[in-house]
Amino acid sequence: MSDVTSTPAPEPAAPLDFIRQIVSEDLKAGRHGRRVHTRFPPEPNGYLHIGHAKSICLNFGVASEFGGLCNLRLDDTNPTKEDVEYVDSIRTDVRWLGFDWDTREFYASDYFEQIYECALALIRRGLAYVDDLTAEQIREYRGTLTQPGRNSPFRDRPVEENVSLFERMRAGEFPDGSHVLRARIDMASPNMNMRDPTLFRIRHAHHHRTGDRWCIYPMYDFAHALSDAIEGITHSLCTLEFEDHRPLYNWIIEQFPDLPGDPQQIEFARLNLTYTVMSKRKLLELVEKGFVSGWDDPRMPTISGMRRRGYTPRAIRDFCARIGVAKNESLIDVALLEHSVREDLNRVAPRAMAVLKPLKVVIENYPEGQVEMLEAINNPEDESAGTRQVPFSREIYIEQDDFREVPPKKFFRLFPGNEVRLRYAYIIKCVSVLKNEAGEVVELRCTYDPDTRGGAAGEQRRVKGTLHWVSAPHAVRAEVRLYDRLFTTEQPGTDDARHFTEELNPNALEVLSDALVEPSLATLTAGVTCQFERLGYFCADPDGTPDRPVFNRTVTLRDSWAKIEKANG
Ligand code: ATP
Ligand code: MG
């Protein structure tokens, strides 16, 4: 039983990561009114992926470990790219991962009026102005990392003129791009984000929640900081690319001391995985151009894709716990994620027998028409899973790969004259081979030893090879979808010389339409994952019917991560 891993010893209490250390010290020092309140703030412009899972586990995890709360906040400030389909999928995925935001489901768009009022307040204090420069001019005026920016000619507009223009922007009097509202901070700041960043822009676009009520929309940095402050967030955890935005975040928060929260932004490294792209723009392109069947294609690194493939929430949470959080960028081996999936499935997945590429075997000395029900163990890792009855008869199927007419060295499976055990059944011996006109093996003739009946209780006579099989008259024909990595390169999308879709693995999906599965698998509920003995873990797909079940291979049994770990001692 090579796939059995022993139960790991209980792990010592892990040392706190740098974020949990900060939170713990803040609590001790009585900061933020001794509260911990985080949020997970996705933009509903795509489905969540495994990178988001890291952020979800962190935000909800920190909140629950320190007796705090975590909000789900839909950061919906960009009407042209967002959709309710995405909102719904985000809610489903976060819940499926095992987290609960109770009634705290918030939308940045719920705060549009308040954010607008904040902008007006900044204008009145001389801290924001309406700029008529074009987007291109604004870029030009902004300067570079080595050169300070120049003030816009509109920077010193009188307050009343700014108020009036901003109100007219809201009233829809101006076309897209004709004006923006900018913070009035410092065009010479060494930090580009502080060079009078845009706070509001004009977008005559329908919003999935606010409809046509607004034609001006707040920029991400402004809306995000204010949403945090409005919700009383204490620790605003985000990925490293926002480090340079922190001075602006703090500047915005400082302007509104009367809002409930005085949040502190803390950045951590995003998750990067080998053989995987995680940019939503790229994932959207894969969906839109038909490279995959949808956001939930089992090859996708999305939560919905992983769910359909048979990954479990516990495996994903376990993976997130193993990778931890740190401040430096790193690339995680996707084999570690698969390792977490195997570990969990090994514990919980019921075993069953299926033959992916069938080869017919007739047992010549087994009585015609006889059927025996044999007892099979459902999960050797879990006694409470019990046993089931598997039918055995004169005609069975085994895996084509389990037979060789001319066996290579150390081949312990079936070949002419050799004996193997059929799992939970008898020892059989191959006596002859039938071929078609093309010379291909189409059927084996075998004999069985009636004194070797196996079963859950164990087996008397032993031989070196054990094969899985299905009974021909009882087996159900199934479609099995085998998945390989979606990309052939370790870091797809990092080669400037080619478009990332050129790195797609053309063999990432192989469909076997003539697989045969034991009868108990025909009615497996979609989403349930089994171990097909000796083959791997397979999840029933919603495309299947009882007449024609469909299975996705979740992972094989070979654990390349465990091998790497062993090699590294
Ligand atoms: P993309 O740039 O691909 O659109 P995003 O970061 O803009 O992704 P959001 O919906 O804004 O997507 O992300 C919601 C939250 O998830 C943010 O706090 C973001 O930092 C976090 N997040 C996104 N990708 C990752 C990742 N790979 N690892 C960890 N956290 C991530
Ligand atoms: Mg984002």
Side-chain angles (χ1 to χ4, degrees):
M1 303 287 297
S2 59
D3 55 313
V4 176
T5 47
S6 55
T7 317
E11 282 182 49
L16 296 184
D17 59 58
F18 83 99
I19 289 181
R20 288 170 167 89
Q21 259 170 39
I22 292 172
V23 173
S24 157
E25 276 154 28
D26 284 350
L27 277 177
K28 270 187 224 139
R31 287 192 200 103
H32 303 293
R34 286 209 151 75
R35 291 183 307 117
V36 174
H37 203 146
T38 58
R39 80 288 169 271
F40 172 62
E43 181 180 355
N45 62 351
Y47 281 59
L48 298 181
H49 53 60
I50 183 72
H52 292 117
K54 172 174 178 174
S55 176
I56 293 166
C57 290
L58 176 65
N59 279 293
F60 281 92
V62 163
S64 89
E65 290 155 35
F66 292 95
L69 298 171
C70 180
N71 296 352
L72 176 64
R73 160 141 24 95
L74 285 302
D75 193 353
D76 54 352
T77 53
N78 192 353
T80 56
K81 296 209 171 121
E82 296 162 4
D83 199 280
V84 279
E85 176 196 347
Y86 298 136
V87 173
D88 292 342
S89 73
I90 288 167
R91 302 170 73 226
T92 302
D93 290 349
V94 176
R95 207 165 276 146
W96 179 78
L97 276 174
F99 299 103
D100 184 7
W101 57 92
D102 198 7
T103 54
R104 296 178 314 281
E105 177 171 321
F106 301 120
Y107 293 79
S109 57
D110 291 344
Y111 312 135
F112 280 174
E113 190 66 49
Q114 210 171 342
I115 295 172
Y116 175 81
E117 291 298 330
C118 288
L120 271 179
L122 289 180
I123 295 174
R124 294 213 169 92
R125 283 182 245 155
L127 293 175
Y129 62 98
V130 173
D131 199 345
D132 304 357
L133 292 182
T134 63
E136 199 177 314
Q137 287 170 320
I138 288 179
R139 218 171 300 130
E140 234 179 79
Y141 273 72
R142 181 161 288 147
T144 63
L145 285 173
T146 51
Q147 275 186 326
R150 282 177 295 143
N151 287 353
S152 160
F154 303 99
R155 196 174 196 263
D156 293 317
R157 262 186 170 135
V159 165
E160 281 320 309
E161 192 179 324
N162 277 316
V163 170
S164 153
L165 279 170
F166 190 49
E167 284 168 352
R168 291 171 62 198
M169 279 168 67
R170 177 184 185 168
E173 289 186 30
F174 306 116
D176 288 5
S178 58
H179 301 75
V180 290
L181 182 76
R182 297 177 71 178
R184 199 164 179 274
I185 308 180
D186 178 8
M187 289 305 292
S189 170
N191 185 327
M192 302 288 282
N193 294 299
M194 298 299 271
R195 293 185 189 174
D196 292 9
T198 301
L199 302 179
F200 263 93
R201 59 182 168 172
I202 303 173
R203 265 275 199 298
H204 290 270
H206 186 84
H207 185 283
H208 60 101
R209 279 177 64 87
T210 57
D212 296 313
R213 226 175 305 146
W214 293 89
C215 63
I216 56 172
Y217 290 95
M219 299 301 288
Y220 175 82
D221 282 331
F222 193 45
H224 188 78
L226 287 178
S227 304
D228 281 350
I230 291 168
E231 291 175 18
I233 298 304
T234 58
H235 299 83
S236 180
L237 313 179
C238 63
T239 38
L240 279 177
E241 68 272 22
F242 290 103
E243 198 164 15
D244 289 345
H245 296 236
R246 197 189 328 139
L248 175 57
Y249 183 90
N250 290 341
W251 184 89
I252 296 167
I253 298 293
E254 280 159 22
Q255 306 312 317
F256 301 99
D258 293 341
L259 289 177
D262 179 18
Q264 132 190 40
Q265 173 177 309
I266 308 169
E267 310 86 17
F268 63 95
R270 61 172 47 229
L271 168 65
N272 300 303
L273 262 189
T274 56
Y275 299 98
T276 307
V277 299
M278 256 183 273
S279 140
K280 279 190 273 186
R281 186 176 50 75
K282 287 181 181 153
L283 297 177
L284 179 65
E285 185 174 335
L286 293 177
V287 173
E288 285 188 332
K289 295 199 175 150
F291 288 110
V292 293
S293 65
W295 284 98
D296 70 343
D297 186 302
R299 290 167 290 182
M300 290 281 272
T302 50
I303 305 297
S304 53
M306 292 180 176
R307 173 166 63 239
R308 187 160 178 187
R309 180 142 168 185
Y311 286 23
T312 59
R314 194 170 32 209
I316 294 173
R317 291 195 307 262
D318 172 72
F319 168 73
C320 291
R322 279 171 198 252
I323 58 174
V325 274
K327 198 106 192 161
N328 46 327
E329 287 291 350
S330 68
L331 178 65
I332 305 288
D333 190 336
V334 70
L336 177 60
L337 173 60
E338 292 162 355
H339 174 74
S340 290
V341 171
R342 279 189 193 95
E343 270 209 346
D344 189 38
L345 290 177
N346 181 47
R347 276 191 298 265
V348 300
R351 274 54 169 174
M353 290 198 285
V355 174
L356 300 187
K357 296 179 181 167
L359 172 61
K360 191 171 181 183
V361 173
V362 177
I363 302 164
E364 291 181 329
N365 59 340
Y366 193 86
E368 245 171 284
Q370 178 173 308
V371 176
E372 276 177 277
M373 297 306 285
L374 303 172
E375 190 176 36
I377 295 171
N378 285 333
N379 186 351
E381 299 291 308
D382 175 9
E383 220 174 291
S384 72
T387 59
R388 70 186 183 289
Q389 301 291 310
V390 181
F392 183 79
S393 67
R394 186 168 190 267
E395 292 189 6
I396 62 164
Y397 285 96
I398 63 166
E399 210 69 64
Q400 286 170 17
D401 281 350
D402 282 336
F403 173 79
R404 294 288 170 81
E405 200 172 8
V406 183
K409 260 198 190 128
K410 295 202 171 163
F411 187 81
F412 299 121
R413 292 173 262 170
L414 202 55
F415 53 89
N418 191 42
E419 279 189 327
V420 291
R421 155 127 359 234
L422 296 174
R423 186 112 166 103
Y424 301 119
Y426 297 96
I427 290 176
I428 59 168
K429 180 185 201 166
C430 178
V431 292
S432 62
V433 179
L434 308 190
K435 295 184 185 178
N436 62 14
E437 281 157 16
E440 297 157 343
V441 176
V442 291
E443 187 180 312
L444 304 179
R445 292 279 165 160
C446 293
T447 54
Y448 86 118
D449 177 348
D451 295 331
T452 56
R453 180 171 157 153
E459 290 140 358
Q460 309 300 318
R461 184 149 83 80
R462 289 180 172 273
V463 288
K464 274 199 167 154
T466 299
L467 307 187
H468 60 274
W469 53 275
V470 292
S471 163
H474 302 93
V476 178
R477 195 163 292 270
E479 177 176 313
V480 174
R481 299 170 183 169
L482 305 179
Y483 301 101
D484 197 349
R485 302 206 159 128
L486 186 51
F487 291 94
T488 53
T489 45
E490 231 185 40
Q491 290 179 264
T494 54
D495 179 354
D496 290 337
R498 55 182 178 171
H499 192 60
F500 79 101
T501 53
E502 288 173 48
E503 298 169 70
L504 280 165
N505 175 6
N507 304 316
L509 169 62
E510 183 187 352
V511 178
L512 305 175
S513 30
D514 295 315
L516 292 168
V517 302
E518 66 168 78
S520 71
L521 287 174
T523 50
L524 204 64
T525 312
V528 175
T529 305
C530 273
Q531 185 191 104
F532 290 0
E533 297 215 21
R534 298 178 65 230
L535 297 173
Y537 296 96
F538 292 77
C539 182
D541 190 86
D543 283 350
T545 61
D547 292 341
R548 187 164 177 75
V550 175
F551 295 94
N552 298 307
R553 183 170 68 196
T554 312
V555 274
T556 60
L557 295 175
R558 269 188 314 278
D559 191 337
S560 56
W561 181 261
K563 248 181 243 158
I564 296 167
E565 269 196 330
K566 213 171 178 182
N568 294 341

